[in-house]
Amino acid sequence: MITWANFGSQLFNGLALGALLALIASGLTIIYGTLGVLNLAHGAMFMLGGYAGYLAWQSSGSFLLGVAAGTLALGVLGIVMERLVIRYFYARPHEDQLLVTFGLAIVFVELVRWYFSSDSKTVQAPALLQGITNMGFMFYPTYRLAVVGICAVALLVLFLVLYRTRLGMIVRAGIEDSVMVDSLGINIDRVFMVVFGIGAMAAGFAGFINAPIVSLAPEIGEQILVQTFVVVVIGGVGSFPGAVLGGLIAGEIISLTSMVNPGYAYVMLFAAMTLVLMIRPRGLLGAKGRE
Amino acid sequence: MDRKVSFLPRRRVLSAGLGLAGGLALPAYVRQALAADDNGHPPIGTWPEGVKGKEVFIGVAVPRTGTYAEQGEDELKGWQLAVEHINSGNELIRKISPKTKKGVQGKELKLVVADSAAKPNDAVQAEQRFITENKVILMTGSTSSAVAVAMNKLAQREKVLYVTGISGSNDTTGKDCVRYGFRQNFYGETAANAIGPVLLKAYGKGKKMAFMTPDYTYGHTVTKSTSEYLKEHGGWQMVTNQVSPLGATDYSSYLTNIANSGAEVLLNVNWGRDAVLSTQQAKQFGVIPKMKLVIPYQIPFLAKNIGAELAEGVYAATDFWWTLEDKYPLAKTFVDAFRKKYGYYPEWGAENAYMSFAMWADAVENAGTFYPPDVIKSYEAGRKLQSMVGEVYFRKEDHQLVRPVVIVRGKAPKAMRNKEDFWEVTEIVPGAGLMQKPDAFGCKLGEYT
């Protein structure tokens, strides 16, 4: 149904969808760029962040505590994962990395299913952000509006860490050439651990922020993982700005296609990814040699 | 989760081939004597191997994970209770299947259960394994018509009976019907013809309607039947139909389209968790209460999940609701027994599951044998059966049960007598007038043997 009113609404909705995708994808892309590990457990970690936050939110009633718990718990989990499992796989073939992270994802999902059951869990948005906002051209759920802002702030924080701190400089240098960084006398091993922790925190944060929108279920990670991969591929593997751009493009493709025919929304997303892979295999903002 | 893949054992194929070759070489009367059972039938499917012991197995492939998990668990409880009742010769079973004593044909029933995750492949693989390993004599499961249709085909190919779990598609007893498949519950066409007049009476003629449709056989047929009824009889106009994949979580882009469509009534055909999420998000987007919400095909636990406030005033078509206990004694017995065992009021998935087993027991006892073609003919005899919604019977042309459709409306929270008293039964529409002509959806049942 193509009208100007609907076009404007879908354009905005695409932005909101894209902001969240960008946030999740940024964690995935930083980890891959720096460590060279394609983390197939990223979706499951997104889901775990939601459940960790849910536990804290449910026992305290505080949404902010939920956000903190989801983020910190996943930061800790990320570091533990990296120390116990992931670091032994840096030197091994990509297939091994895929298998081990995929295996971890299955373990996480089944643990959650065992502890929380398959039924979905609902998280209420904070009272202040419940209800609907009249934006003039459309009505939009207040919480989703806030999520756009929250994601923007979170992405900004990530940007500052990556581009305005010494750690960020090392990480970015590591993305370009980790052997060189190591030979410059920087403890790349510890940097890797921190990067994995940061990536996990981004996933955990997004996981809880997303919970009031779609509610929690053990499977939510699987779906988001596929979309996140598309975002990373479109934006360019290992590129933080690429993840943001890719997220927004993916959000707009889903929204605007659905205006014409909702059945094709995801088809178009994958068509776009194929197109990017054919014309520019390293992604829109990916640097050469990184993939 | 058990995902063991079962291949057709090569040895069985070999021995079957040898048997066939040998069989051709033998005189006809010898062959008959070797293969025949008490009634002189050659083996078919898992018969007679599956009924030689003291126990017979029933294969259940039901979603225990994923979008339809909550409804799947409710169904499973219905089957478990039915098996318990059949094995003990419970009074309720004997009211539905009068010839039942204990078990079926004196055999004890055993369930073997697998998680289908509502995926046709998983369900077919699991049942194929049950056929090989347990020699199941009956199969059931499905909380998705995509699974039911795939199971229909498996049943016909393997010559093992299949009774559907929840399946709302017209195709299950329409173009994808099979001789070996039977459906107890209501479906798109009967739902539409039952709820249609109610909607026209409540909301008037010439309304604009929007649909949310899950992208598979169930969604498409329910939307088609419902929209066509409202268009033909009330001049309603479908202004948008938002088709989404099963298991979608974010409905924002679909709801944005609906919000801009000018629709007055929103008919949500999504099911399971998809229905919960899309309805909750419809409220977040202000689509509800601006538009009237209608559920053309009821979802067990919907009201519990979205809350009574959101369900208030919503019309839905369903198979069963527990307050029917006030009207039907069998419903009361069932609801009491179910509550005693599981601690909550059964939803229609459990009722459908229980009834489909009870009716199978009746068909077998009346056939006097497990021999599948005889059991099928017993179903097809069109005996009147007592059910929790009155008298019902199977239609022999498409194996669909002719049964009433129940129309419910969401109660106001303060009118609820207990915390599970979400719906008020407004009408019980007799089944015969709701059904299409038996061949209207292209049903061709196929062979008995």
Side-chain angles (χ1 to χ4, degrees), chain A residues 73-87:
Chain A
L74 265 287
V76 172
L77 178 79
I79 287 171
V80 171
M81 258 173 87
E82 201 273 344
R83 285 293 95 181
L84 291 186
V85 182
I86 306 292
R87 69 172 167 144

Side-chain angles (χ1 to χ4, degrees), chain A residues 1 6 9-10 13 17 110 113 118-120 132 140-141 144 212-215 217 219 223 255 258-259 262, chain B residues 1 64-66 69-70 241-243 247 249-250 252-254 256-257 260-261 273 277 280-281 283-286:
Chain A
M1 209 183 7
N6 199 26
S9 310
Q10 289 291 12
N13 187 54
L17 280 180
E110 294 303 324
R113 191 167 277 147
S118 272
D119 299 351
S120 49
I132 308 166
Y140 211 70
R144 282 186 191 247
I213 296 180
V214 299
S215 87
E219 301 85 20
Q223 293 155 346
S255 261
S258 84
M259 185 173 69
Chain B
M1 258 192 313
R64 310 190 72 175
T65 58
E70 195 176 7
N241 179 21
Q242 296 293 312
V243 177
T249 49
D250 190 305
S252 59
S253 51
Y254 312 117
T256 305
N257 288 332
N260 283 297
S261 70
R273 188 189 294 145
L277 291 180
Q280 284 171 339
Q281 290 174 33
K283 178 166 180 278
Q284 291 167 8
F285 273 79

